[in-house]
């Protein structure tokens, strides 16, 4: 499952690009050759700018080597690059020492940043781990893109879990996006995982999630008490070729049957967190599924994405074409969505593809 944005370094960080490491050496050679070919203009003093440049691509040792080479070229007159003396050499030496210090500080900060990013990645993956390829008799595939750059988790969520009442899946979208919504995402996922084990009915699962948000909104520590979320819940009961669906104000799922794509019509309930699921639990819709049927669940980050002219992304119309992509439907949807919006939507995006094939995983 794809989770990390396609950007240099991801959350783990990477060493400087190769061109940044080659550039100081190339500049050094170019200046020496240019000085050798030019007798009426002295270019050698441009070498003094190389140690600060090297400090951004090399560590303290590498920068010190560049500084030493520059001092050698400027100070040894027989080489013929420059004829620096006295205070000029002292100035270049001070620049070299400062460059080494800068490189050392940068290297330490880079190491700390990598450590922080690694911890952040582990924490976010603990909140929203990748879905497995199979949960019981249900095949799963998920794709997540957070709107906030450099994060793995935003305001969307999904999960697929097996329990005594079958395989249950959740796709939701909490108020807001980015890191501010992660606490609510974690609370909903925790409540869902408990409900998979404890609650016999899908409506009871929705009620538990609703109570979780109502309780969180009432807590004094919550800055914005108007917490709510849309969600769709699915249940594949054991031994039956059906799926049960509950919608809490969430965009409708799509059923992909061969080349036919249709919207799954369910009676929508209120969003979670409004305190309405208790006295009036949402209705449960039961839908027959055949071998090969796929259910595509998504958040509004997909269908509310716009192109340059303001048109919404036509997911249902695009899926029949994208489903033929040999690389997989979800990856094809994301690439098509990114092209439609010229770089990707400005909201979190979650896609979950489920299919019931009736086979339990091998022990």
């Amino acid at each position: 499952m794809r989770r990390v944005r396609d950007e240099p370094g991801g959350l783990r960080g990477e060493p400087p690009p190769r061109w940044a490491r080659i550039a100081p050496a190339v500049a050094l050679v170019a200046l020496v050759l240019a000085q050798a070919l030019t007798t009426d203009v002295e270019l050698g003093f441009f070498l003094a700018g190389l140690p600060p440049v090297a400090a951004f691509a090399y560590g303290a040792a590498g920068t010190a080597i560049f500084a030493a080479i520059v001092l050698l070229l400027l100070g040894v007159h027989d080489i013929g690059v420059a004829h620096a003396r006295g205070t000029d050499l002292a100035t270049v030496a001070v620049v070299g020492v400062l460059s080494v210090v800068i490189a050392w500080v940068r290297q330490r900060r880079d190491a700390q940043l990598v450590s922080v990013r690694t911890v952040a990645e582990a924490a976010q993956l603990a909140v929203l781990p990748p879905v497995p390829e199979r949960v019981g008799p249900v095949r799963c595939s998920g794709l997540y893109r957070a709107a906030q750059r450099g994060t793995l988790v935003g305001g969307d969520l999904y999960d697929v879990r097996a329990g005594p009442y079958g395989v249950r899946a959740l796709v939701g979208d909490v108020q807001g996006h980015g890191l501010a919504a992660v606490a609510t995402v974690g609370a909903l996922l925790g409540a869902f995982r408990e409900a998979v084990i404890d609650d016999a009915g899908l409506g009871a699962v929705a009620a538990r999630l609703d109570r979780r948000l109502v309780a969180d909104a009432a807590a004094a520590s919550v800055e914005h008490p108007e917490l709510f979320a849309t969600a769709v819940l699915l249940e594949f009961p054991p031994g039956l070729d059906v799926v049960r669906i509950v919608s809490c104000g969430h965009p409708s799922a799509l059923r992909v049957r061969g080349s036919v794509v249709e919207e799954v019509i369910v009676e929508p309930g209120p969003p979670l967190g409004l305190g309405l699921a208790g006295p009036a639990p949402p209705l449960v819709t039961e839908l027959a599924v055949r071998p090969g049927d796929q259910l595509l669940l998504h958040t509004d980050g997909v269908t509310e994405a716009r192109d340059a002219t303001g048109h919404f992304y036509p997911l249902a119309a695009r899926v029949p074409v994208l489903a033929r992509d040999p690389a997989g439907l979800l990856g094809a949807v994301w690439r098509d969505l990114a092209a439609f919006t010229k770089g990707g939507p400005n909201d979190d995006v979650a896609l979950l593809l489920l299919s019931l094939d009736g086979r339990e995983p091998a022990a």
Side-chain angles (χ1 to χ4, degrees):
M1 187 192 72
R2 301 293 301 280
R3 286 286 301 282
V4 181
R5 280 185 176 275
D6 298 326
E7 58 188 28
L11 284 181
R12 291 172 291 278
E14 288 182 353
R18 181 175 297 179
W19 65 265
R21 300 177 64 85
I22 294 176
V26 172
L28 177 68
V29 174
L31 284 171
V32 171
L33 292 177
Q35 184 63 73
L37 299 174
T38 305
T39 57
D40 54 344
V41 179
E42 189 166 325
L43 302 175
F45 285 100
F46 285 103
L47 293 171
L50 293 183
V53 174
F56 289 99
Y58 289 87
T63 304
I65 292 173
F66 267 98
I69 292 174
V70 168
L71 280 173
L72 179 66
L73 292 173
L74 294 178
V76 179
H77 300 163
D78 293 339
I79 299 177
V81 175
H83 300 85
R85 298 179 185 277
T87 57
D88 292 334
L89 282 176
T91 301
V92 174
V94 169
V95 171
V97 171
L98 290 177
S99 299
V100 171
V101 173
I102 291 172
W104 179 77
V105 172
R106 180 196 58 79
Q107 199 170 32
R108 282 179 58 88
R109 290 181 65 87
D110 285 352
Q112 291 172 352
L113 181 60
V114 170
S115 177
V116 169
R117 285 178 168 176
T118 301
V119 172
E121 182 181 35
Q124 292 179 74
L125 288 175
V127 173
L128 191 65
V131 296
E133 293 184 0
R134 178 189 290 273
V135 178
V138 178
R139 300 185 66 86
C140 314
S141 179
L143 183 145
Y144 196 107
R145 292 291 186 276
Q148 185 169 335
R149 184 178 177 86
T151 62
L152 298 178
V153 180
D156 291 354
L157 63 145
Y158 54 45
D159 201 4
V160 184
R161 299 276 165 163
Y165 307 104
V167 176
R168 287 171 171 172
L170 164 69
V171 174
D173 183 0
V174 308
Q175 175 197 20
H177 57 78
L179 293 177
V182 173
T184 306
V185 168
L188 282 175
L189 288 172
F192 171 72
R193 290 160 187 168
E194 291 179 356
V196 167
I197 299 173
D198 297 337
D199 295 329
L202 208 54
V205 177
R208 181 189 288 256
L209 300 182
D210 181 73
R211 291 194 303 271
R212 177 71 272 165
L213 285 188
V214 170
D216 287 349
S221 60
V222 177
E223 181 179 356
H224 302 290
E226 62 280 6
L227 290 177
F228 67 90
T230 66
V232 60
L233 292 157
L234 274 71
E235 178 183 87
F236 295 88
L240 300 177
D241 292 334
V242 299
V243 60
R244 297 172 181 147
I245 305 174
V246 164
S247 175
C248 300
H250 198 78
S252 299
L254 299 177
R255 180 172 63 182
V256 183
R257 177 173 287 174
S259 60
V260 178
V261 177
E262 59 182 350
E263 184 178 297
V264 178
I265 304 300
V266 300
E267 184 70 26
L272 302 173
L274 301 183
L276 303 177
L283 297 178
V284 178
T285 300
E286 191 167 278
L287 179 72
V289 292
R290 303 175 185 173
D293 284 358
Q294 295 178 305
L295 293 171
L296 177 60
L297 313 176
H298 59 89
T299 55
D300 60 11
V302 179
T303 51
E304 293 185 2
R306 298 174 183 259
D307 63 8
T309 62
H311 292 93
F312 291 110
Y313 179 68
L315 177 63
R318 297 294 299 153
V319 166
V321 177
L322 300 174
R324 297 196 291 267
D325 192 313
L329 174 59
L330 298 191
V333 170
W334 172 251
R335 291 189 295 273
D336 190 56
L337 180 61
F340 181 84
T341 56
K342 304 299 183 183
N346 295 321
D347 196 3
D348 301 318
V349 168
L351 294 164
L352 185 64
L353 189 65
L354 305 173
S355 60
L356 179 66
D357 61 15
R359 298 193 303 273
E360 294 287 347

